[in-house]
Amino acid sequence: MVQVLVGVDRETAPVVPLLKRLDLPYAHYELAHTLSAADYLSYGIEGARTPDEVESIVSSENRHARQLVESAARLLPQAKGDVLFGHPTEALLRRAEVLHAELVPVNASHARSEGVAALTGSVARGVAMGAHQSVLIARSSLLHKADDLPLRAVFATDHSEYANRCLETLIELAPRGISHLLVMSVAPELDLELLDRELPELGVSIAASVRQALERRSEHVAKRLSQEWPKVTIETALYTQPIHDAIDRALDQASAELLILGAKGHSLLERLTLGSVSLHQAIGGPCSVLILRHPD
């Protein structure tokens, strides 16, 4: 059983359709919508003149929140919903700890200008940076309302020990909705050429050796995943561009809507940075992002 705490903030958000498309067979879902003082103020409580008016506004806002979360919960198998109170990020993180959640899906900001990826909203950014759990940041796409379509995804790995543990986390989640997965690694050409120039006395190409090692490891990852997901088309690719350019190219090559990558996020510094690659993709990436964390 995988405990999943879903943050729900609006009726048309992509997070629930994305979860339906991922199709996590062992997931136990709890959905939560958080109300804060700002919600009541925006609803008009500051202009209320009598205790009855205040009570009416609070009851109406609570009722609307309850309807929102219950409506979303009906879309996921055996899900239940609840309304939390307090700062949205803090409330979600507290509930995630209480539930011993392993995955916290949330919506990214829905604001988007033409041709520019949306910056993640403050709640999603706060959850991604503060959670000890794996985090799914859902972004809108042309297909996000079509919850029965298979997903195409990219799994970015540096083949480190921690990345390999994150691979096991992905296997434990066991998403059945992925139809195509590109396993990518990166060996920036400029960096490797510099090594060859600095160490000519070795008489061998360090760049070629590194590329071959990464390709072998990616093939091993693909084989491991193929054993778990025999119906998924899995391919590998090694990119020589700088990391962010390489990820963008991989997403385009795979026509992917989901990027999967790991981030330690256990120490305070790691939670604040996520690692520069994960943070960059989580905050400003073009598609939905699954940030994997593996408990030590």
Side-chain angles (χ1 to χ4, degrees):
M1 184 67 70
V2 178
Q3 189 70 44
V4 182
L5 175 64
V6 187
V8 179
D9 57 358
R10 61 189 188 277
E11 294 178 356
T12 59
V15 66
V16 172
L18 179 58
L19 285 169
K20 290 192 69 175
R21 294 176 67 194
L22 271 175
D23 189 11
L24 306 177
Y26 309 118
H28 180 271
Y29 294 103
E30 177 169 320
L31 284 75
H33 177 74
T34 304
L35 287 173
S36 65
D39 293 303
Y40 295 119
L41 290 174
S42 66
Y43 197 75
I45 199 170
E46 61 184 353
R49 291 171 292 181
T50 69
D52 287 344
E53 288 177 330
V54 172
E55 182 178 356
S56 175
I57 290 171
V58 170
S59 296
S60 179
E61 185 68 359
N62 290 357
R63 184 167 56 253
H64 177 265
R66 175 68 61 182
Q67 291 171 346
L68 172 64
V69 75
E70 289 178 352
S71 175
R74 285 195 291 270
L75 300 176
L76 293 170
Q78 299 180 329
K80 63 178 182 177
D82 199 4
V83 177
L84 309 179
F85 298 91
H87 186 279
T89 301
E90 295 173 0
L92 277 174
L93 293 180
R94 283 196 303 270
R95 179 58 66 89
E97 293 297 323
V98 170
L99 291 176
H100 302 290
E102 297 162 73
L103 176 64
V104 183
V106 291
N107 292 301
S109 170
H110 60 287
R112 181 184 294 267
S113 58
E114 185 176 354
V116 179
L119 292 179
T120 302
S122 60
V123 174
R125 184 169 62 247
V127 170
M129 294 173 68
H132 293 89
Q133 300 82 4
S134 297
V135 174
L136 175 64
I137 297 178
R139 287 191 168 90
S140 297
S141 73
L142 294 177
L143 303 176
H144 91 265
K145 293 183 179 180
D147 54 30
D148 59 342
L149 292 179
L151 275 165
R152 298 175 66 88
V154 167
F155 177 50
T157 177
D158 60 3
H159 299 295
S160 64
E161 181 182 350
Y162 188 79
N164 291 335
R165 294 204 298 271
C166 288
L167 172 64
E168 297 306 314
T169 297
L170 178 61
I171 290 172
E172 290 168 8
L173 289 174
R176 295 184 300 195
I178 294 176
S179 63
H180 182 279
L181 183 71
L182 171 63
V183 178
M184 69 163 293
S185 57
V186 180
E189 185 173 8
L190 293 178
D191 295 342
L192 295 182
E193 287 179 352
L194 179 61
L195 285 175
D196 279 344
R197 289 198 302 269
E198 292 293 325
L199 299 169
E201 65 275 8
L202 293 180
V204 296
S205 171
I206 297 176
S209 298
V210 169
R211 292 189 188 104
Q212 290 171 5
L214 289 173
E215 288 171 347
R216 286 195 300 269
R217 292 179 181 181
S218 290
E219 291 294 339
H220 177 75
V221 170
K223 183 178 179 180
R224 174 86 172 89
L225 289 171
S226 294
Q227 293 170 346
E228 299 291 335
W229 307 338
K231 296 182 179 180
V232 179
T233 301
I234 301 175
E235 60 178 328
T236 65
L238 175 67
Y239 296 91
T240 59
Q241 297 88 352
I243 180 65
H244 299 305
D245 294 337
I247 288 176
D248 288 343
R249 183 173 178 183
L251 291 170
D252 183 64
Q253 177 180 324
S255 300
E257 296 177 76
L258 177 66
L259 172 65
I260 305 169
L261 71 175
K264 286 188 176 180
H266 291 295
S267 71
L268 175 61
L269 179 60
E270 287 168 334
R271 290 204 305 274
L272 289 175
T273 63
L274 282 181
S276 60
V277 175
S278 300
L279 179 62
H280 174 88
Q281 295 297 327
I283 291 179
C287 65
S288 298
V289 183
L290 174 57
I291 301 168
L292 299 170
R293 291 191 174 99
H294 190 281
D296 292 331

